[in-house]
Amino acid sequence: MLQTMTTSDQAAALLDVAIVIPTFNEAANVPKLVAKLDAALAGLAWEAIFVDDDSPDGTADAARTLGRADRRVRVIQRIGRRGLSSACIEGMCATAAPLVAVIDGDLQHDETLLPQMLATFRADQSLDVAIGSRFVAGGGTGDWDRDRVAKSAFATRLSRRVLKADLTDPMSGFFMIRSDVVRRIVPGLNAIGFKILLDIMTASPQPLKFVELPYTFRTRELGESKLDHVVAMEFLIALYDRMFGRIVPVRFAMFSAIGLIGVGVHMSVLFPVVRLWGEGTFLAGQILAAVTAMTANFFLNNALTYRDRRLKGAKALLDGWVSFCVVCSVGLVANIGVAGFLHDAREGGWAVSALVGVLVGAVWNYALSSRFVWGRY
Ligand code: GDD
Ligand code: MN
């Protein structure tokens, strides 16, 4: 239960919670935030961990100045690195407290919600995350303009596609979580960009148990926002990585390598045909070579790329082989079409045109065969 302590008790008290504060150029906000935390967390044993990416404005020094007089204030100063998510992760892994909260350093998050978050953990032993939400009843986005509201709503919709949980504010950067849960999940985090909560919620193999508590996003008074186009791009990359990153690169690489083997098969069929029976048989040889290469590719992909969903039995194999040949024939048409177009348009030399054609064909073959031959939806 929550207990009230005097200052002399605090050294002996067990640490309740760590507050992780990612900062970049927030020097003027540091003392204000610590004062607000001190008021909000009165009676609790807490520590504040500023994770600063070597801000030129001396944010880390501002925090150290406080930390000298108040040992609850700590600083991690990262050199040569940037990133809100990765800063949060480092801060969350740097505490012995059983609970850890993440809060912005610019006073836009409502720190008075922290004791309520802590109370929900005390009331529910199986809770993993308590999330400060702008979109549950009682919360709000403060004085955001319509543009920012629209962008945020769009990003929220996108992120809900990768998130299976029914969470209204997955973009929130304000939450409290069990620190052992974080340590368990960290190896699976992509740590890209700003959206640390989304990263955590989608990385966990078991769905995390969460509650959302309403708060109103405040206006920034000092300093400026770091959310820019790069951050928006990173968001999309992080989503891509979550959606496809784990499967596609590996499979696509295998598929492409097998495609290269197919080229070798093709040439080693075509070469003797033309050699033995003369140029007049080129077209027949070309068709024979293509079918042989596709067949080889089909069986190699079936055995390697899609070994987890390998087609077995004569009928499945025959069906698969036919659809693979159809997909690859269309891919070949796309390859030749694109390469021819680029070459005619003189967009690139013949080699570049051919390579782009091959790439388009490969992506086509990969995307369609994974779907229609090996049934990966
Ligand atoms: N260490 C570190 N490194 N901190 C950073 C970095 C970085 O590269 N970039 C930003 N921060 C810190 C800021 O100093 C601030 O304390 C906090 O992260 C939030 O950054 P802002 O630039 O103020 O972000 P915002 O207000 O636009 O976005 C906030 O709103 C989102 C809700 O849509 C962030 O709080 C998000 O966490 C939140 O999800
Ligand atoms: Mn902010």
Side-chain angles (χ1 to χ4, degrees), residues 10 32-43 46 70 72 111:
Q10 274 165 358
K32 290 179 188 288
L33 179 61
V34 171
K36 282 176 178 286
L37 289 175
D38 189 44
L41 297 169
W46 57 273
D70 182 344
R72 297 172 304 178
E111 73 291 332

Side-chain angles (χ1 to χ4, degrees), residues 22 24 26 53 82-83 104-106 108 171 220 225-226:
F24 193 77
E26 306 287 2
D53 289 353
R82 274 298 298 273
D104 282 358
D106 57 3
Q108 291 197 274
M171 318 295 281
R220 185 191 260 276
S225 171
K226 283 90 206 174

Side-chain angles (χ1 to χ4, degrees), residues 188-230:
L189 295 177
N190 65 30
I192 305 166
F194 261 41
K195 298 305 158 196
I196 177 64
L197 179 66
L198 182 64
D199 198 7
I200 288 174
M201 297 298 284
T202 51
S204 175
Q206 307 87 26
L208 296 179
K209 184 170 179 193
F210 64 90
V211 289
E212 289 187 272
L213 303 173
Y215 83 97
T216 302
F217 200 78
R218 295 189 194 128
T219 310
R220 185 191 260 276
E221 312 265 328
L222 299 164
E224 50 195 53
S225 171
K226 283 90 206 174
L227 202 154
D228 56 13
H229 290 100
V230 175

Side-chain angles (χ1 to χ4, degrees), residues 134-149:
R134 298 160 292 169
F135 305 126
V136 289
T141 47
D143 65 350
W144 272 12
D145 59 25
R146 276 177 50 197
D147 185 51
R148 172 100 200 230
V149 171

